[in-house]
Amino acid sequence: MASSDERELDSLTDRTVELLQTMIRNECVNDGTRESGHETRNADVLEQVIAGPSVDIERFEPVPGRASIVGRITGSDPDAASLCLMGHTDVVPVHAEGWRHDPFGGELIRTAEGVDEVWGRGAVDMLNLTSSMAVAFRDLADAAARGAFRPRGDLIFFGVADEESGSAHGARWMADHHPDAIRAEFVLTENGGLHSGGPSEAPFIGVNVAEKGVAWRKLTVRGTPGHGSMPFRKDNALVKAAGVVQRLAEYRPTPRFTELWRTRVDTLELSDEMRAALLDESLIDDLLDDLPSVPAAAHLHACTHTTFSPNLVDGGAMKTNVIPDHVVVNVDIRTLPGDGAEEVDAHLRAALGDLADHVEVEIIMNDPSSTSRVDTPLWDALARAVNVPFPTARLTPQLVVGFTDARIYREMGAVAYGAGLFSPGLDAGEFGSRFHGHDERIDVESLALTTQLWSHVCRDVLA
Ligand SMILES: [Zn+2]
């Protein structure tokens, strides 16, 4: 017979599964437009889950339909450090044809190997974490109401909209307009907790402590309009823009290694020769050129370079018989720590060469790389919480090549980590492909482990 502790854990896991299914079915798809997202649907559900006698709730809706929600269990000591569990409530669009199951069905499906998985957009990014955070928060609120949880600092749950398109209607807006409503010393958000190498008797568990910067740029290439019937020696903006795109694609910025990179390479299981090449700035590019796995090469390259991806082109009212006078090229630039706006300008000049004089550069987004230190009580508490189910596991700090809302908290002075805890059976490479990919799904064991992780860390840090 199961002990009462086990039954309690099972019932928490059931609640996380059910909440995750509901949030997937709410289809809060953020396509980058102001009118998309509809995160109010998930905010409503989360409010029902976290509401209770010991919880103060605030809602913020900067744009109709895009609510974020903040729940707070007030601690006994106003000077004690506070902890925020932050989960975004939006998801990215899908191409349903590529999926084996309904991307918004939230189905619970058992694999041939007997593994139960919840399917749907958001199952790993990051409704799995958001739902488990809300359930752990509610459980702690219930404990607080009966005197079984007495936090010194505040515990905050922040269900936030609009992470996937850059946070303008979510965390960025909150930080600009209501910073006191979300301020915390310590923050946990997406995304860590994968078993990432090391011997099986002492595995490494990844925790994200740093992110690359985001330096999106709009390049406007000017030309002279004219009739398409007489192209000879004309100044065609599209032809020049093609050159701009080509040079960006061919640009090879020099690699640069951070301390986190060295730590990362140390945790990978590699031959000595490969390890040496990955840690040698004169050898790494050749190694990545020849690496058989393209996804691995792209990831390792992104960890060690500022990257440039021309992803969007727009020529205004383009017509087949008109030589265009301007073409816009949007470039997704992701910067290493230390590369600010000036360095981005220098990179662009180097990449474009003589074409640079024909291009006007505008900033779309300019958030520098951010890092949190690891000598903190939150890090130690995470390590202890991970050691409950995995007594010999060790945390390893990692750099995220994408961005999350952690960057906004780091700007506010918080220590923010991307955490979670996944089942050891998940293959990190395959798991990575589920982010924004087809067949996004999460196993129930990982949902159980993550729900318990938040619970342990909150009790530990706020004690
Ligand atoms: Zn996410």
Side-chain angles (χ1 to χ4, degrees):
M1 221 177 92
S3 71
S4 65
D5 273 4
E6 280 167 26
R7 275 197 303 273
E8 195 164 322
L9 290 180
D10 287 346
S11 100
L12 282 190
T13 305
D14 289 347
R15 283 152 67 185
T16 297
V17 167
E18 196 183 321
L19 178 57
L20 173 59
Q21 291 176 300
T22 305
M23 292 180 76
I24 289 170
R25 290 169 189 152
N26 275 341
E27 232 176 294
C28 297
V29 176
N30 184 347
D31 65 12
T33 62
R34 188 182 152 91
E35 299 71 34
S36 69
H38 311 286
E39 294 94 337
T40 294
R41 297 197 282 251
N42 274 342
D44 289 344
V45 170
L46 289 169
E47 180 165 355
Q48 280 176 17
V49 169
I50 65 172
S54 48
V55 179
D56 296 314
I57 291 181
E58 290 183 282
R59 279 173 77 107
F60 301 89
E61 197 160 348
V63 173
R66 310 207 67 172
S68 293
I69 187 155
V70 181
R72 181 181 300 269
I73 303 170
T74 302
S76 59
D77 177 358
D79 296 325
S82 52
L83 170 63
C84 175
L85 304 177
M86 171 172 61
H88 67 77
T89 55
D90 59 328
V91 299
V92 295
V94 300
H95 295 285
E97 329 68 76
W99 287 62
R100 281 184 279 154
H101 297 282
D102 179 359
F104 299 107
E107 293 167 84
L108 181 61
I109 294 169
R110 183 162 294 178
T111 67
E113 294 76 37
V115 177
D116 288 325
E117 296 177 323
V118 177
W119 279 67
R121 177 56 91 217
V124 299
D125 183 11
M126 66 171 284
L127 304 180
N128 57 325
L129 303 181
T130 308
S131 58
S132 57
M133 285 172 168
V135 166
F137 179 90
R138 170 56 186 269
D139 186 51
L140 289 164
D142 289 345
R146 53 172 201 271
F149 172 53
R150 294 192 183 84
R152 287 182 55 229
D154 289 4
L155 175 61
I156 300 156
F157 170 80
F158 182 20
V160 65
D162 197 29
E163 190 276 340
E164 293 291 359
S165 298
S167 324
H169 309 304
R172 176 65 68 202
W173 187 87
M174 289 293 294
D176 288 347
H177 295 89
H178 299 281
D180 291 338
I182 59 166
R183 197 183 302 285
E185 273 78 13
F186 298 127
V187 178
L188 293 172
T189 186
E190 61 185 337
N191 192 298
L194 282 173
H195 300 243
S196 63
S200 59
E201 63 277 11
F204 287 109
I205 306 284
V207 175
N208 289 335
V209 302
E211 300 182 5
K212 289 182 80 179
V214 194
W216 291 347
R217 294 292 185 270
K218 175 177 166 181
L219 310 186
T220 303
V221 186
R222 300 274 175 207
T224 310
H227 201 283
S229 60
M230 294 173 288
F232 186 60
R233 296 176 63 185
K234 293 288 174 62
D235 178 27
N236 183 324
L238 180 56
V239 173
K240 278 196 288 201
V244 166
V245 169
Q246 190 64 34
R247 288 185 188 184
L248 287 169
E250 286 168 358
Y251 181 53
R252 302 299 297 257
T254 50
R256 197 147 47 73
F257 299 154
T258 60
E259 205 40 53
L260 283 172
W261 172 250
R262 291 177 229 280
T263 310
R264 178 76 191 284
V265 173
D266 283 342
T267 64
L268 298 172
E269 283 163 274
L270 302 167
S271 67
D272 288 348
E273 191 190 357
M274 186 137 166
R275 189 183 307 280
L278 283 175
L279 292 173
D280 186 330
E281 289 171 3
S282 67
L283 296 178
I284 184 171
D285 284 352
D286 289 341
L287 175 86
L288 296 180
D289 278 340
D290 298 332
L291 206 64
S293 162
V294 173
H299 179 74
L300 298 173
H301 179 267
C303 289
T304 49
H305 299 73
T306 289
T307 57
F308 301 79
S309 189
N311 292 345
L312 183 155
V313 51
D314 182 11
M318 288 180 113
K319 278 185 82 198
T320 303
N321 62 353
V322 175
I323 294 173
D325 66 342
H326 79 280
V327 168
V328 169
V329 179
N330 284 12
V331 191
D332 182 353
I333 303 172
R334 304 299 176 105
T335 56
L336 285 175
D339 272 1
E342 261 176 51
E343 287 78 12
V344 169
D345 283 347
H347 277 297
L348 284 174
R349 277 195 305 277
L352 299 182
D354 58 346
L355 281 174
D357 295 338
H358 300 262
V359 175
E360 288 160 29
V361 180
E362 280 172 73
I363 293 174
I364 304 172
M365 195 161 153
N366 200 64
D367 288 350
S369 169
S370 68
T371 305
S372 285
R373 33 195 300 167
V374 300
D375 55 341
T376 68
L378 181 60
W379 182 265
D380 297 341
L382 262 180
R384 285 188 289 269
V386 163
N387 284 154
V388 174
F390 304 111
T392 55
R394 299 158 290 168
L395 301 188
T396 181
Q398 293 182 340
L399 167 84
V400 202
V401 301
F403 66 81
T404 75
D405 283 336
R407 75 194 192 285
I408 291 166
Y409 265 107
R410 292 193 189 116
E411 280 172 29
M412 293 171 75
V415 169
Y417 300 138
L421 191 56
F422 295 96
S423 52
L426 279 182
D427 173 73
E430 192 275 330
F431 185 75
S433 74
R434 296 183 197 171
F435 283 79
H436 299 195
H438 301 321
D439 290 347
E440 190 175 343
R441 61 198 188 277
I442 187 71
D443 61 300
V444 170
E445 185 191 347
S446 292
L447 294 172
L449 287 165
T450 301
T451 308
Q452 291 159 43
L453 178 82
W454 306 135
S455 210
H456 286 130
V457 176
C458 293
R459 287 178 181 277
D460 190 338
V461 168
L462 298 172

